[in-house]
Amino acid sequence: MNREKLSDLVAAKIKLDIKQKKYQAGEKIPAEPELMNIYSVGRSSIREAIKSLAMAGVLQVKQGDGTYVNEQTDELPIEQQLKNASFEEINSVRRLLEAEIVKLAAELYTLDDLTEMEKHLADRKQAILTEDRAACANADIAFHMAIAKACGNGVLAALYQNFTQTIRTFFSQREVQGINHFAMSHHLHEDLLMAIKGRKKKQAVEIITYILNNNY
């Protein structure tokens, strides 16, 4: 097992021990040498596990003092929650978010917005024709991001932009599918653009919902 996976395993064990109240909220956890004995790993794995848990908001490292369990250990930052979420959870949120985005975009888009959407959709098609999977993913995300920017709601657009990294991660995890996923759904993306262009809000919502209901 490589060091990264070992440190992840240690981090998971520490989180479980916190959940089971072995380490209490606000309490200092044991020092590195003791943690090495408890979890039977080397110093580097302990340090990496502590670092990842600190970044996730589970632990707090106080220089010159020690490492403490944060008070709200169950309330992880949204970035960590997204990282740990299942595909079904992510897709469910996408359906809610993008349904509102496409409805607003169909109502409020400008000609510049439309030009950007058309460009990225054309890039998506070209990437499919050249069987360039990375370019497919980039163009797909850029197309949906262009729709988000066209919705006229900066908060929605910002939420979706933060969401794109999670979407990209799911694309990379499904690498065995090649470009098939993109190719099979391209006509639906063209239909989505036409619905937005025609300012057909209800139809745009139906199409994006269908796309995401079949996003496997």
Side-chain angles (χ1 to χ4, degrees), residues 97-156:
L97 193 61
E98 294 204 46
E100 185 64 20
I101 283 172
V102 300
K103 182 173 69 174
L104 290 171
E107 181 181 355
L108 300 171
Y109 78 82
T110 66
L111 290 179
D112 286 342
D113 293 329
L114 186 62
T115 299
E116 187 173 357
M117 286 183 257
E118 290 174 337
K119 174 189 179 301
H120 294 308
L121 191 61
D123 290 343
R124 191 182 191 277
K125 183 175 183 178
Q126 181 60 33
I128 292 169
L129 292 174
T130 57
E131 299 187 3
D132 187 334
R133 193 179 189 287
C136 282
N138 290 336
D140 183 272
I141 291 172
F143 172 68
H144 287 277
M145 191 64 232
I147 296 174
K149 289 178 180 177
C151 80
N153 186 313
V155 174
L156 271 178

Side-chain angles (χ1 to χ4, degrees), residues 124 127-128 130-137 170-185 216:
R124 191 182 191 277
I128 292 169
T130 57
E131 299 187 3
D132 187 334
R133 193 179 189 287
C136 282
F170 277 115
F171 281 152
S172 67
Q173 290 172 346
R174 298 157 68 200
E175 199 163 336
V176 292
Q177 292 187 3
I179 65 161
N180 288 344
H181 169 75
F182 299 103
M184 289 188 296
S185 66
Y216 294 93

Side-chain angles (χ1 to χ4, degrees), residues 63-103:
Q63 295 297 328
D65 185 2
T67 301
Y68 289 78
V69 180
N70 276 336
E71 293 291 339
Q72 298 179 333
T73 56
D74 291 332
E75 298 182 11
L76 297 179
I78 185 62
E79 294 84 0
Q80 190 67 24
Q81 293 184 43
L82 288 174
K83 182 179 178 181
N84 295 338
S86 67
F87 177 79
E88 289 74 17
E89 289 174 320
I90 293 297
N91 217 39
S92 178
V93 175
R94 278 194 73 184
R95 282 194 293 268
L96 292 171
L97 193 61
E98 294 204 46
E100 185 64 20
I101 283 172
V102 300
K103 182 173 69 174

